[in-house]
Amino acid sequence: MESKKKSLLLELQGFLLLNVLMLCMARKHITTVDWVVKEASYTRLCSTKKILTVNGLFPGPAIYMRRGDRLKVNVRNAGEYNVTIHWHGVKQPRNPWSDGPNYVTQCPIKPGANFTYEIVLSNEEGTLWWHAHSDWSRATVHGPLIVLPKLGKGFPFAKPHKAVPIVLGRCENGGEPNKSDAFTINGQPGDLYNCSKEGTFKMVVDYGKTYLLRIINSIMNEEMFFMVANHNLTVVGTDGAYIKPITTSYIMITPGQTMDVLITANQSPSHYYMASRASAELVYDNTTTTAILQYSGNYTAPSTPSFPNLPNFTDTDSVTNFTRRLKALATKDYPVDVPQSVDTRLYITISVNTLPCANNSCDGPNGTRLSASLNNISFVEPSIDVLQAYYRSIQHVYESDFPNEPPYYFNFTGDNLANTLLTPEQGTKVKVLDYNSTVEIVFQGTNVLNGAENHPMHLHGHSFYLVGYGFGNFNNETDPKSYNLVDPPEVNTIGVPTKGWAAIRFRADNPGVWFMHCHLERHASWGMDTVLIVKNGRTLSTSMRRPPRQLNPC
């Protein structure tokens, strides 16, 4: 009997030792990289100024990972202001602690402090990106996050000769934060701006070869058209998921979105402009940024590269015609899981509003200050982050009564709406969802304050399916009949059409606290945000992870 007990004890010790070794091995293989957020001097548009960067780079360093990988990034703040980093499009299963939005999932990294993020990939594959998620600092603090297929796996298309990140950004000389002085491609404004020709980004290509452009819209406030003169583009992925290939002369990409685009160098060897400009009803910057697609070899270079015929700023048809073509790849290797029935339905109005100021002393309409809302709730950042309050059951930080529908109905997309609709309620209101429940959200654009425009809505912690969209007011009886529940694109950011609506569905299978907001920075900063809390499931593997040892104080 004693020998049997001893044998069992040895087996148990061996089992525990094996588990410890496996845990140590797993931890050992999580690489850690060090980043420093600091100011650096950059010369653009005829002047030199200091901008906030990661490791002195603009755009910031590219991260390359493989599907299912994990990576730790230790961020030290050597700047003068608080900062956080968000891994845009990474679902972070069970790990909201590393998601990044200021006062939602963490207190900020204060000057002189540091925080170690853990990037946890699951089924993402393709182009994602990272950016600051504190105030307006993402204008310069951003960069690519490239997720390659697992080792031994290829792309669901012919392997390109080379992949090149194309980061659409902006720069400014100062003044109003809404207004940029130039758009940029890979940090350079391009030939059409003063003092910029020498630095224009050039992509050298070999005739007959195919290249993968990993396009990221990091711009603060504008949806963008993008073209390459005389060349077709084949879009094969968006937001870290593959789509059925579509061939097009242009793309339209909203702030926060990413696209994987193939281009074949099949034209006469020469120089061709890549060009990008805004697509918006309200254009804050009507300039055009350029880069050059430059063929290798011996030929006489043109005095001016060929220029693409970009759609007009207000060409809504071009936006709609492009968006309606996006469909998930939906194959055995890349399946879709579109909820066919729904447990929770949300109908969310998106509005630009105003708030009163003492003695009408602010710069908004009639002395007010501009605001924004979802379902007439303008989100207010709490004094500590929502995640800690939820995890530790701290009272009076947020309220769990974000409404399932707007407080009142009217002709949301009509003109000259009543002034009584201008002022929203303010609060830190969240929506709580059961684990593994299926959710439908219909985002309804409004024309309150005559501020109708395309709103890129982004959800953290999940991707979702864009099952339908249209113009005017959503009709809950007829519009769902047109939903695509077979192969809708799986994305994390969608543009809600100007004076229109967009419907998404997803499964709330990621326990945690997740931010949902407009990715136009001015709207997010005005309160066009809310938080979804997904409750834990019944097992450890369906519950939130414990917090890391180090959490920054507020």
Side-chain angles (χ1 to χ4, degrees):
M1 187 65 138
E2 286 297 321
S3 62
K4 190 172 183 181
K5 283 183 179 179
K6 188 178 286 186
S7 175
L8 286 171
L9 182 61
L10 287 171
E11 282 185 32
L12 179 60
Q13 288 174 337
F15 175 76
L16 291 173
L17 180 61
L18 179 62
N19 274 272
V20 169
L21 286 170
M22 289 177 67
L23 181 62
C24 290
M25 289 173 66
R27 286 178 175 169
K28 186 177 178 181
H29 285 89
I30 304 177
T31 302
T32 299
V33 298
D34 292 312
W35 282 5
V36 179
V37 176
K38 61 181 181 180
E39 289 189 338
S41 294
Y42 269 73
T43 301
R44 298 288 188 276
L45 306 176
C46 313
S47 66
T48 300
K49 70 170 189 173
K50 288 186 176 180
I51 63 173
L52 197 64
T53 69
V54 168
N55 296 349
L57 301 175
F58 172 61
I63 293 175
Y64 287 86
M65 301 175 68
R66 290 193 178 274
R67 181 174 175 141
D69 278 356
R70 293 193 292 172
L71 175 71
K72 289 186 176 180
V73 182
N74 180 43
V75 177
R76 181 167 66 85
N77 185 1
E80 297 180 2
Y81 305 99
N82 294 344
V83 73
T84 63
I85 303 293
H86 170 54
W87 318 98
H88 188 114
V90 177
K91 298 182 181 72
Q92 295 280 28
R94 304 175 49 234
N95 186 35
W97 306 102
S98 286
D99 190 48
N102 212 27
Y103 293 106
V104 175
T105 61
Q106 73 173 99
C107 297
I109 309 170
K110 296 178 180 178
N114 73 289
F115 182 73
T116 299
Y117 294 92
E118 184 178 349
I119 305 172
V120 181
L121 296 178
S122 51
N123 63 348
E124 306 91 341
E125 189 170 320
T127 303
L128 301 174
W129 64 303
W130 60 265
H131 60 80
H133 214 303
S134 43
D135 298 321
W136 288 67
S137 49
R138 78 169 173 89
T140 55
V141 180
H142 60 254
L145 198 168
I146 309 302
V147 184
L148 301 169
K150 286 189 173 185
L151 280 174
K153 286 270 193 176
F155 300 111
F157 46 83
K159 183 179 179 181
H161 175 65
K162 186 179 180 182
V164 180
I166 300 292
V167 182
L168 306 180
R170 72 163 208 166
C171 61
E172 74 280 338
N173 284 324
E176 181 192 4
N178 286 347
K179 175 73 168 66
S180 68
D181 293 293
F183 296 122
T184 60
I185 294 177
N186 289 351
Q188 296 291 343
D191 289 0
L192 305 185
Y193 298 95
N194 292 333
C195 308
S196 300
K197 194 165 187 174
E198 187 174 321
T200 296
F201 174 74
K202 295 178 175 64
M203 177 179 161
V204 178
V205 298
D206 296 335
Y207 182 83
K209 301 266 177 82
T210 297
Y211 297 80
L212 176 60
L213 305 182
R214 298 187 176 277
I215 303 175
I216 299 163
N217 186 349
S218 74
I219 294 168
M220 306 293 276
N221 290 313
E222 284 92 358
E223 297 81 18
M224 301 295 288
F225 288 118
F226 175 88
M227 293 183 72
V228 180
N230 297 6
H231 290 74
N232 281 330
L233 306 172
T234 301
V235 187
V236 292
T238 181
D239 284 2
Y242 295 117
I243 65 169
K244 292 180 173 65
I246 60 172
T247 301
T248 177
S249 61
Y250 69 94
I251 66 168
M252 197 288 292
I253 184 168
T254 72
Q257 283 186 328
T258 63
M259 291 188 183
D260 294 309
V261 178
L262 297 173
I263 182 170
T264 300
N266 56 9
Q267 299 299 303
S268 299
S270 187
H271 293 184
Y272 299 87
Y273 272 130
M274 298 179 185
S276 185
R277 73 176 175 200
S279 157
E281 295 292 324
L282 303 174
V283 178
Y284 290 88
D285 184 339
N286 61 2
T287 62
T288 302
T289 181
T290 58
I292 295 175
L293 188 77
Q294 179 177 316
Y295 280 68
S296 61
N298 296 317
Y299 56 88
T300 302
S303 56
T304 302
S306 299
F307 202 89
N309 184 24
L310 287 159
N312 192 36
F313 304 109
T314 57
D315 189 345
T316 304
D317 287 344
S318 288
V319 174
T320 305
N321 291 339
F322 176 76
T323 304
R324 68 159 46 123
R325 298 179 65 191
L326 301 177
K327 297 181 187 297
L329 188 57
T331 63
K332 181 182 177 181
D333 291 332
Y334 303 96
V336 295
D337 181 22
V338 188
Q340 300 296 304
S341 60
V342 173
D343 299 316
T344 300
R345 282 189 166 84
L346 300 174
Y347 183 48
I348 298 179
T349 51
I350 305 171
S351 301
V352 175
N353 308 96
T354 61
L355 290 169
C357 293
N359 302 315
N360 298 325
S361 57
C362 293
D363 294 332
N366 301 315
T368 62
R369 69 180 176 92
L370 289 168
S371 177
S373 66
L374 298 176
N375 272 355
N376 209 45
I377 308 294
S378 186
F379 187 80
V380 176
E381 280 188 351
S383 57
I384 68 168
D385 61 276
V386 176
L387 176 56
Q388 280 200 70
Y390 171 65
Y391 187 80
R392 305 188 192 284
S393 300
I394 301 173
Q395 302 297 308
H396 310 301
V397 175
Y398 64 87
E399 297 173 286
S400 302
D401 60 348
F402 182 85
N404 287 0
E405 60 182 323
Y408 32 78
Y409 283 74
F410 54 93
N411 181 11
F412 298 119
T413 56
D415 294 325
N416 302 314
L417 298 175
N419 289 339
T420 54
L421 302 171
L422 292 180
T423 306
E425 179 184 346
Q426 291 183 280
T428 309
K429 294 183 181 290
V430 310
K431 178 66 181 177
V432 179
L433 300 170
D434 289 331
Y435 177 78
N436 215 34
S437 60
T438 53
V439 183
E440 177 178 299
I441 301 177
V442 176
F443 295 107
Q444 174 67 64
T446 74
N447 195 31
V448 174
L449 203 64
N450 292 318
E453 59 181 306
N454 186 298
H455 295 279
M457 298 302 299
H458 172 52
L459 174 60
H460 292 218
H462 298 77
S463 57
F464 51 77
Y465 296 100
L466 174 61
V467 297
Y469 58 92
F471 292 95
N473 300 324
F474 176 75
N475 185 311
N476 64 358
E477 292 185 0
T478 59
D479 285 328
K481 295 177 181 178
S482 66
Y483 282 1
N484 176 7
L485 300 179
V486 177
D487 58 356
E490 183 180 2
V491 293
N492 60 63
T493 307
I494 51 108
V496 180
T498 303
K499 292 188 178 182
W501 57 271
I504 68 170
R505 286 188 178 183
F506 65 97
R507 184 175 297 277
D509 57 2
N510 193 6
V513 171
W514 307 108
F515 203 31
M516 184 170 73
H517 62 98
C518 179
H519 223 277
L520 300 182
E521 200 67 19
R522 64 188 187 280
H523 291 171
S525 65
W526 294 343
M528 197 176 282
D529 328 290
T530 191
V531 172
L532 303 184
I533 294 180
V534 179
K535 294 193 291 188
N536 285 338
R538 296 181 178 181
T539 65
L540 187 64
S541 65
T542 60
S543 299
M544 258 187 1
R545 288 167 49 172
R546 292 179 179 178
R549 292 178 182 176
Q550 178 221 346
L551 287 174
N552 298 93
C554 284

